[in-house]
Amino acid sequence: MKIKDAVVFVTGANRGLGLEFAKQALERGAWKVYAGARDPASVTLPGVVPVKLDVTDPASVAAVADAARDVTLLINNAGIARVGSLTDDGALDALRDHFETNVVGMLAMSQALAGSLASNGGGAILNVLSVGSWVNRPILSAYGVSKSAAWALTNGLRQSLREQHTQVVGLHAGFIDTELVRGFEVPKATPADVVRQAYEAIEAGAEEVSTDEVTRNVKAALSTGIYLKDAAQR
């Protein structure tokens, strides 16, 4: 599908990667851009339609589905990432929190808008995933588990929605220069470059896109496990 003249809904659109998704959608000629955020007043980008949204609240998701029946592209960007190992105190609660937003919230939005996508020709869903879908390290363990599940969810949605001609795209990336990882002293991609590649993948009809060399190398090594073993030991 083309971004030009699309009706785009971006979750978590008030800052970081979500804000960049909304911005570039407008620049690419989207007809309308819904910007979902828990506090719609925090959405300050001119030209978008601010929408109150908490992906973990069923009533909020249902209200969005009713308000955005013209949507043709859903960007499931909303997510959380908290530092911690699976052996830390509180790891169970952290895992539940990550799953509620990063997995259950993603499915809730996809289910809620799937009917509208079908009515509007099929459209597309893009799920923001991570290199953490494939490599899990103690610093972000619960996040990694949730992104692994979100990858499986993305693959499942692709099969479930294929008959209605909805393109489902998984976006994998390493560290991106947003508030989510502000305290990490590591190489980071720019949100602008990640979003550019994401929209190019959608327009090319792709089902998956890896936006940096590390992520592409990890994906390529899945069949051998060599890179994954090395990364897990670092």
Side-chain angles (χ1 to χ4, degrees):
M1 68 171 293
K2 298 298 181 184
I3 308 305
K4 188 178 187 303
D5 296 327
V7 177
V8 183
F9 195 109
V10 184
T11 69
N14 57 322
R15 61 181 183 177
L17 199 63
L19 175 60
E20 188 64 29
F21 269 114
K23 178 182 175 184
Q24 287 197 33
L26 292 174
E27 291 173 350
R28 288 172 175 264
W31 179 258
K32 183 191 292 185
V33 179
Y34 293 102
R38 291 192 178 192
D39 177 10
S42 66
V43 177
T44 59
L45 179 66
V48 302
V49 180
V51 178
K52 182 176 178 60
L53 172 64
D54 177 353
V55 299
T56 68
D57 178 5
S60 178
V61 172
V64 163
D66 187 58
R69 297 187 182 213
D70 52 351
V71 69
T72 60
L73 171 59
L74 168 62
I75 306 289
N76 276 318
N77 165 75
I80 62 172
R82 296 176 186 162
V83 173
S85 167
L86 294 176
T87 57
D88 290 345
D89 291 339
L92 284 174
D93 289 337
L95 189 61
R96 291 188 184 100
D97 289 345
H98 279 84
F99 262 73
E100 277 299 308
T101 300
N102 297 355
V103 184
V104 178
M106 182 179 287
L107 177 57
M109 285 298 298
S110 300
Q111 286 185 332
L113 293 180
S116 293
L117 291 173
S119 297
N120 298 323
I125 297 173
L126 182 134
N127 291 338
V128 176
L129 305 174
S130 170
V131 68
S133 303
W134 306 315
V135 177
N136 192 303
R137 299 174 66 184
I139 193 169
L140 288 169
S141 281
Y143 171 80
V145 173
S146 71
K147 288 300 183 179
S148 293
W151 180 41
L153 172 64
T154 300
N155 294 335
L157 282 172
R158 185 176 299 119
Q159 302 305 319
S160 297
L161 299 178
R162 194 179 298 278
E163 188 173 342
Q164 71 173 45
H165 305 293
T166 298
Q167 176 189 3
V168 179
V169 185
L171 170 66
H172 295 272
F175 289 104
I176 305 169
D177 192 12
T178 67
E179 290 183 21
L180 206 64
V181 294
R182 176 167 290 173
F184 291 72
E185 296 298 326
V186 293
K188 300 171 187 175
T190 65
D193 186 55
V194 171
V195 171
R196 175 188 61 78
Q197 292 186 62
Y199 280 139
E200 288 177 354
I202 292 170
E203 294 193 330
E207 294 185 342
E208 197 164 79
V209 55
S210 296
T211 62
D212 55 76
E213 185 177 0
V214 169
T215 303
R216 287 189 287 268
N217 287 342
V218 170
K219 178 62 186 299
L222 286 176
S223 61
T224 65
I226 296 174
Y227 187 97
L228 306 185
K229 180 180 178 182
D230 178 62
Q233 291 175 341
R234 292 177 190 169

